Amino acid sequence: MHRYLFIGGLHRSGTSLLARLISDHPQVSAITGAPVPENEGCYLQGAIPHTALDGAPMRFATDPRQHLVEGCRYDSQAVRDRMEADWAPWFDASKPWRVEKSPVNLTRMRLYQQLFPLSQFVVILRHPEAVAQAVSKWLPDPAEELVKHWIAAHRQLEDDLRYLHAACVIRYEDLCARPARTIEGIHAFMGLPAHPVRQEVRDGNADYPVAPCLRAGDADRWGYGPGHGTQPWTPHVTHPLRAQREAALERLSPR
């Protein structure tokens, strides 16, 4: 029987990179070669509508209509069955784990936990100033407004985490600094043996000039400060099995 690992996060936070690194494991399958943006599973299923108004960068995460939780109108066996059927052709049926990566998973984890009770979740964060700079090519909003959106989205995330049985939150900056150790930690979170990281990982934050617009204290919860600043931070890991929780934390925590 296969298991799902759902990856979510704001656009340009590193979800695609993370999915590629995790799915390089021989026991993990990911969607590849799909005729949709970034192989995102949200476009490949017809159970939950996904139009131009859904999943818009720096819009979806604070849209109450897109915060899907247990008991919402999509919490049904019919929705689960349709999603499974639509996704099945894009996965390798011989592998026990399936990675589905879509930014909108950030706001659907509580629903997906109901639909797929054995599923696990990974959210990747990236410094709010870097995210604001990265999405500015799509949006006219000033950087300060984009940073406010980032803060609001992750306040909602913090509340949602209380409801999830198996969830892991990491930072893009830590993934870039320690790719092998980070991916080993996520594989441990999944109960998988370590597998070497073969792909090159570079820190894309270096592509953007430092332009402080984050106020001191607004993102301390995640170890972020003004001017692309980062502080040592312990990732969030919950898992019903103590051994997997502790193994993941041991590898993901800074040394």
Side-chain angles (χ1 to χ4, degrees):
M1 180 179 178
H2 57 261
R3 300 272 302 277
Y4 282 100
L5 180 77
F6 293 105
I7 297 176
L10 293 182
H11 290 81
R12 303 308 304 274
S13 292
T15 56
S16 295
L17 169 64
L18 181 60
R20 290 196 300 271
L21 294 170
I22 295 172
S23 63
D24 198 38
H25 195 285
Q27 296 186 50
V28 180
S29 174
I31 297 170
T32 58
V36 296
E38 296 293 329
N39 292 300
E40 292 173 9
C42 61
Y43 293 102
L44 296 172
Q45 55 78 40
I48 301 175
H50 199 78
T51 71
L53 298 179
D54 304 306
M58 306 307 279
R59 298 286 187 272
F60 80 90
T62 55
D63 180 353
R65 296 169 300 176
Q66 297 190 60
H67 187 212
L68 305 182
V69 303
E70 58 283 339
C72 74
R73 60 183 173 139
Y74 299 114
D75 185 359
S76 71
Q77 186 68 41
V79 168
R80 176 200 164 109
D81 292 346
R82 174 67 185 272
M83 294 179 78
E84 287 245 88
D86 289 347
W87 283 338
W90 300 101
F91 290 110
D92 183 339
S94 69
K95 298 184 178 184
W97 276 95
R98 295 179 171 183
V99 170
E100 193 281 303
K101 185 277 300 185
S102 298
V104 294
N105 291 346
L106 179 67
T107 61
R108 297 182 180 183
M109 293 185 289
R110 289 168 59 180
L111 170 64
Y112 284 3
Q113 179 173 256
Q114 290 292 104
L115 298 180
F116 307 95
L118 296 179
S119 58
Q120 296 182 205
F121 304 90
V122 175
V123 174
I124 184 167
L125 316 180
R126 187 178 182 182
H127 196 288
E129 292 170 352
V131 170
Q133 290 171 302
V135 301
S136 64
K137 64 180 181 180
W138 297 323
L139 301 169
D141 310 58
E144 291 80 5
E145 290 303 312
L146 296 174
V147 166
K148 287 180 182 178
H149 173 93
W150 189 104
I151 293 167
H154 291 91
R155 283 177 180 158
Q156 179 173 278
L157 165 65
E158 189 167 10
D159 184 64
D160 283 347
L161 289 172
R162 299 184 299 121
Y163 296 86
L164 301 177
H165 301 299
C168 178
V169 182
I170 66 168
R171 299 189 303 187
Y172 170 84
E173 293 78 12
D174 299 324
L175 174 63
C176 293
R178 302 183 297 276
R181 193 73 177 168
T182 300
I183 298 304
E184 184 180 348
I186 294 174
H187 286 153
F189 172 67
M190 300 166 71
L192 295 173
H195 186 71
V197 170
R198 299 188 177 95
Q199 300 180 45
E200 180 182 353
V201 178
R202 59 176 293 273
D203 186 355
N205 286 1
D207 297 339
Y208 304 105
V210 174
C213 58
L214 174 69
R215 296 186 308 177
D218 280 352
D220 284 355
R221 164 68 178 84
W222 313 107
Y224 290 128
H228 287 198
T230 59
Q231 300 295 327
W233 175 77
T234 300
H236 171 96
V237 180
T238 55
H239 196 286
L241 297 179
R242 185 178 67 183
Q244 284 179 226
R245 181 175 67 250
E246 292 179 350
L249 269 174
E250 193 275 328
R251 291 162 176 80
L252 291 170
S253 298
R255 289 181 167 182

